[in-house]
Amino acid sequence: DSVKNIMIIPLPSGYTGFRTVSIIMLSPCGLPDTATINISNALSATVTSLNVPVCPGGTAILSATLTGTGGTYLWSPGGATTSSIAVTPSVTSLYSVTFTSQSCGSATATDTVTVISLPTVTLTVRNAFCSQPGVVIASPAGGYGPFQYAINGGAFQATDSFSGLAGGTYTVVVEDSLGCRSNPVVVDVATGTALSLMLTIDSITCSVSAGQIIAIASGGSGVYQYSLNGGAFQPSGNFGGLTVADDIVEAEDTQGCSI
């Protein structure tokens, strides 16, 4: 009928089980009375994540680690009751798990699954002019480097440029180190006909004191400029007032192709 203070030694650090303590007390009549107390360390939980961060639509694995045994799990959101779950969030999301022990209450842990944006790619094109093949250069942004590049569904490569291209339509995709792929980007590599040059020559004769050359370019791309004997280019292909000599005429189009 009297209350006595009882000191109970805590469990050793790292101990995850239970300890049973028996207490023997004397009743007022001198008869022994026994009470049994189960003791455990405070319950705690942590969550570890795999495959994080993830691409949009990617899957992360979340696993709960506990200091106790014998209980139930409850994940939120989703309501799963297993020790680990696979999640596929569309945006960065917070997940929590609550472990409820059969005898020691409950513990809750949380973890965030980060969803990164897909990489994007900008293409620079050198068209297939001047009898030279085309080139496409990819410049990535976003995602996690290093990046790899693929054109027209081919194998990915570490180099960001594709050379030796004929005229046509090409599709480029970039993949980052997490396996996240950009949306395909389509680009056209243009090609033109070969540049050609026709000359009309008025030679010096007894009745003509000065010669003239009329140059007319065709093919290539855009407008043309003309040069005589390595001089400055001019928009006109007419060169007059010429003396007797061997002359060289050059034509150039807007792509820098020349003949």
Side-chain angles (χ1 to χ4, degrees), residues 136-155:
V136 171
I137 300 173
S139 299
Y144 280 75
F147 299 92
Q148 295 193 89
Y149 311 84
I151 192 168
N152 285 0

Side-chain angles (χ1 to χ4, degrees), residues 1-254:
D1 58 355
S2 62
V3 178
K4 300 294 183 181
N5 294 325
I6 300 173
M7 183 179 70
I8 299 174
I9 300 174
L11 295 177
S13 175
Y15 185 84
T16 58
F18 293 90
R19 174 180 290 177
T20 300
V21 176
S22 296
I23 302 174
I24 301 175
M25 300 172 289
L26 295 178
S27 69
C29 299
L31 298 176
D33 194 4
T34 302
T36 301
I37 302 174
N38 290 325
I39 306 170
S40 71
N41 277 335
L43 190 66
S44 66
T46 58
V47 176
T48 57
S49 53
L50 300 177
N51 305 332
V52 175
V54 297
C55 317
T59 299
I61 306 298
L62 302 179
S63 298
T65 303
L66 306 160
T67 59
T69 58
T72 59
Y73 300 87
L74 181 61
W75 290 87
S76 177
T81 57
T82 55
S83 61
S84 63
I85 60 172
V87 296
T88 309
S90 58
V91 295
T92 296
S93 302
L94 178 69
Y95 293 86
S96 66
V97 60
T98 299
F99 178 74
T100 302
S101 171
Q102 294 174 351
S103 58
C104 290
S106 62
T108 299
T110 61
D111 195 16
T112 298
V113 176
T114 302
V115 179
I116 65 170
S117 60
L118 292 176
T120 60
V121 58
T122 301
L123 303 180
T124 302
V125 180
R126 189 184 75 193
N127 292 311
F129 292 138
C130 310
S131 301
Q132 298 294 319
V135 177
V136 171
I137 300 173
S139 299
Y144 280 75
F147 299 92
Q148 295 193 89
Y149 311 84
I151 192 168
N152 285 0
F156 280 90
Q157 63 180 45
T159 304
D160 62 0
S161 63
F162 303 92
S163 57
L165 303 178
T169 300
Y170 296 89
T171 302
V172 176
V173 173
V174 171
E175 181 180 83
D176 70 8
S177 60
L178 297 177
C180 303
R181 293 186 179 182
S182 69
N183 292 317
V185 177
V186 178
V187 67
D188 290 321
V189 175
T191 185
T193 58
L195 189 63
S196 62
L197 183 63
M198 182 180 70
L199 301 178
T200 299
I201 301 174
D202 293 332
S203 299
I204 296 175
T205 64
C206 296
S207 59
V208 178
S209 60
Q212 179 178 250
I213 296 176
I214 301 174
I216 301 176
S218 61
S221 176
V223 298
Y224 310 103
Q225 296 191 90
Y226 303 88
S227 169
L228 178 68
N229 295 331
F233 280 92
Q234 63 181 43
S236 172
N238 294 341
F239 301 96
L242 304 178
T243 60
V244 177
D246 292 329
D247 296 303
I248 299 175
V249 177
E250 184 180 2
E252 182 181 77
D253 67 8
T254 54

